[in-house]
Amino acid sequence: MHDTSGSALPVARLPRDLPLRGVTVVSCEQAVAAPFATRQLADLGARVIKIERPGRGDFARDYDETVRGMSSHFVWLNRSKESVALDLKDPSSHDVMAALLERADVFVQNLAPGAADRLGLGAAELRARWPRLITCSVSGYGTNGPLRDAKAYDLLIQSEAGLVSITGTEAEPAKTGIPAADIAAGMYAFSGILTALYDRQRTNVGTALDISLFDALVEWMGYPLYYTGHGGNAPQRTGTSHAAIAPYGTFRAGDGTDVVLSVQNEREWEAFCSIVLDDSNVSTDPRFATGALRVRHREELDRLIHDHLVTLTGEQFQARLERAAIAHARQRDLHSVLEHPQLSSRGRWRDVDSPVGHLRATLPPICMEGVEPRMDRIPAVGEHTEAVLAELGLSGRTSMIT
């Protein structure tokens, strides 16, 4: 459409189809890591058929009952999927799995070590039968090595990878408040599958992906490992402080407001002293003249900063940090995050249907121009079994789902 002057009007941006529509994923998944990966694929339009045990289903359904009787973990990880209940140990389920995999682009599994091979779902066997199939195995420690068969819960991996040793306070180590190892592995499975799908476009051949929680988290431990390997000493546990930067961490204003800040260079240090502390003399104190000295005298520096802040409210403290162009943030509790103005102003919330009604959920973090992510229903156990069996021409096979 053109105006009368002959110059083109702006073309309206129409909603794009979801980029992974047409990709089918079959996933024998449970807990966090694999479901996290496949939910990312579902968000972008992939059809994810989740294979669950008949009855209770994925054991993550029973982690808690805080979301109107549903597990917070399961609600987080399983929207937009189809649930098919199958007893994989029943021989009659093998025909169903074969029919599903015949039509699938991707097969994901995070079963117990060795279980996939025992069930005839090992990567080598599947790829010999379907060369275009992409298989993704998510395990605790990988497919070889002395810990290959070890149980691998998130806390155990955080411990083995050294994350617990550098998290917490000087007095006591701590695990992270989120399942960092599971999330790390899930994201590498997600990106690995996308890479394999792209590669298959060029080669017309699938591949086998082997993702472990341990490898994923060790990769995330890069800075502390280099620091330790080349510096001789591990980074100290410093709570919200930083082992190599000061001032850095949580500071409390006189009214009790906690603010996290980071001073990264000498220009910022001088501005922090003159504007935030209103005391330029601090910047020339020989104890704090360089970044290394500020770290060495962190306790004295933190005490001095505290003494300057006791007369300020949180609002005054943050206003001074703004004027000084010092990076900072509120240390929020989760109730405050739920009402965060950054989320509401950007329209980051959607309603997702579930067996217990509509639930509020955040949009996925991948923002693509013209694409509205898929935010479909969270399924009940086996909700789609009959429909999928009918689609495969296998209706009425009840023994394998009881």
Side-chain angles (χ1 to χ4, degrees):
M1 184 177 185
H2 299 276
D3 67 7
T4 54
S5 67
S7 60
L9 290 172
V11 177
R13 294 193 180 278
L14 299 175
R16 288 177 49 192
D17 198 7
L18 290 167
L20 294 184
R21 191 174 302 283
V23 173
T24 298
V25 180
V26 175
S27 188
C28 296
E29 61 180 30
Q30 55 197 352
V32 176
F36 189 64
T38 58
R39 200 217 76 194
Q40 314 303 314
L41 298 168
D43 287 341
L44 294 174
R47 181 186 186 186
V48 176
I49 300 174
K50 180 184 180 78
I51 307 300
E52 298 194 70
R53 298 171 301 165
R56 303 300 300 181
D58 180 345
F59 57 73
R61 288 181 179 271
D62 296 323
Y63 280 174
D64 60 68
E65 298 179 348
T66 58
V67 186
R68 299 185 205 162
M70 293 187 69
S71 159
S72 55
H73 282 77
F74 194 85
V75 166
W76 166 42
L77 298 166
N78 290 284
R79 65 173 177 249
S80 305
K81 299 179 184 180
E82 298 170 54
S83 173
V84 171
L86 283 180
D87 180 359
L88 294 176
K89 295 179 181 179
D90 186 326
S92 62
S93 72
H94 297 177
D95 289 345
V96 178
M97 288 301 297
L100 286 169
L101 293 170
E102 177 73 35
R103 306 174 185 209
D105 298 284
V106 181
F107 174 66
V108 179
Q109 64 87 12
N110 68 334
L111 302 172
D117 289 315
R118 292 192 296 272
L119 294 167
L121 298 172
E125 183 174 345
L126 296 184
R127 295 210 56 259
R129 189 170 180 182
W130 296 290
R132 294 188 76 253
L133 184 66
I134 295 162
T135 65
C136 180
S137 168
V138 181
S139 63
Y141 293 99
T143 55
N144 52 28
L147 293 178
R148 177 190 63 185
D149 297 325
K151 289 188 175 182
Y153 303 128
D154 183 84
L155 171 59
L156 308 182
I157 299 294
Q158 287 195 37
S159 299
E160 286 284 352
L163 181 57
V164 170
S165 76
I166 61 166
T167 304
T169 66
E170 184 178 355
E172 187 174 1
K175 71 177 183 66
T176 61
I178 59 173
D182 284 314
I183 294 170
M187 289 308 297
Y188 285 117
F190 169 52
S191 59
I193 289 167
L194 295 180
T195 303
L197 286 168
Y198 176 79
D199 188 56
R200 195 181 67 175
Q201 287 290 103
R202 300 185 301 114
T203 65
N204 203 36
V205 177
T207 191
L209 300 170
D210 178 15
I211 309 293
S212 83
L213 276 69
F214 182 70
D215 291 346
L217 197 57
V218 168
E219 166 67 16
W220 284 16
M221 292 292 292
Y223 135 67
L225 288 175
Y226 284 108
Y227 187 103
T228 303
H230 294 279
N233 296 310
Q236 298 298 302
R237 293 190 301 272
T238 53
T240 60
S241 297
H242 194 289
I245 303 173
Y248 186 116
T250 305
F251 295 87
R252 179 165 292 175
D255 64 356
T257 302
D258 286 330
V259 177
V260 181
L261 64 88
S262 173
V263 173
Q264 297 278 331
N265 54 54
E266 295 310 306
R267 180 196 62 77
E268 291 184 354
W269 168 241
E270 292 172 7
F272 180 77
C273 294
S274 62
I275 298 173
V276 180
L277 302 184
D278 193 26
D279 188 351
S280 297
N281 293 328
V282 176
S283 65
T284 58
D285 188 312
R287 295 172 297 174
F288 315 131
T290 67
L293 286 170
R294 291 193 289 275
V295 171
R296 189 178 307 166
H297 297 282
R298 182 194 307 275
E299 189 173 327
E300 299 162 74
L301 176 59
D302 287 354
R303 189 163 51 247
L304 182 149
I305 293 171
H306 169 77
D307 291 343
H308 281 74
L309 295 180
V310 292
T311 62
L312 300 179
T313 65
E315 188 174 331
Q316 291 170 329
F317 183 18
Q318 290 181 87
R320 290 189 182 188
L321 289 166
E322 287 284 349
R323 278 208 322 275
I326 302 296
H328 64 281
R330 282 274 307 280
Q331 183 169 290
R332 295 177 181 268
D333 63 22
L334 294 181
H335 292 288
S336 177
V337 175
L338 287 167
E339 306 306 323
H340 203 298
Q342 187 69 7
L343 294 174
S344 58
S345 68
R346 297 178 63 230
R348 297 295 298 166
W349 293 102
R350 295 291 185 276
D351 280 343
V352 174
D353 193 16
S354 80
V356 295
H358 286 282
L359 303 170
R360 192 168 70 145
T362 54
L363 284 167
I366 296 176
C367 301
M368 295 182 67
E369 184 179 24
V371 171
E372 172 71 14
R374 185 177 168 206
M375 303 285 283
D376 291 350
R377 180 178 166 84
I378 301 159
V381 179
E383 182 173 329
H384 303 89
T385 303
E386 289 301 332
V388 171
L389 291 180
E391 181 182 340
L392 299 174
L394 297 171
S395 295
R397 300 201 177 193
T398 57
S399 64
M400 60 199 164
I401 63 172
T402 56

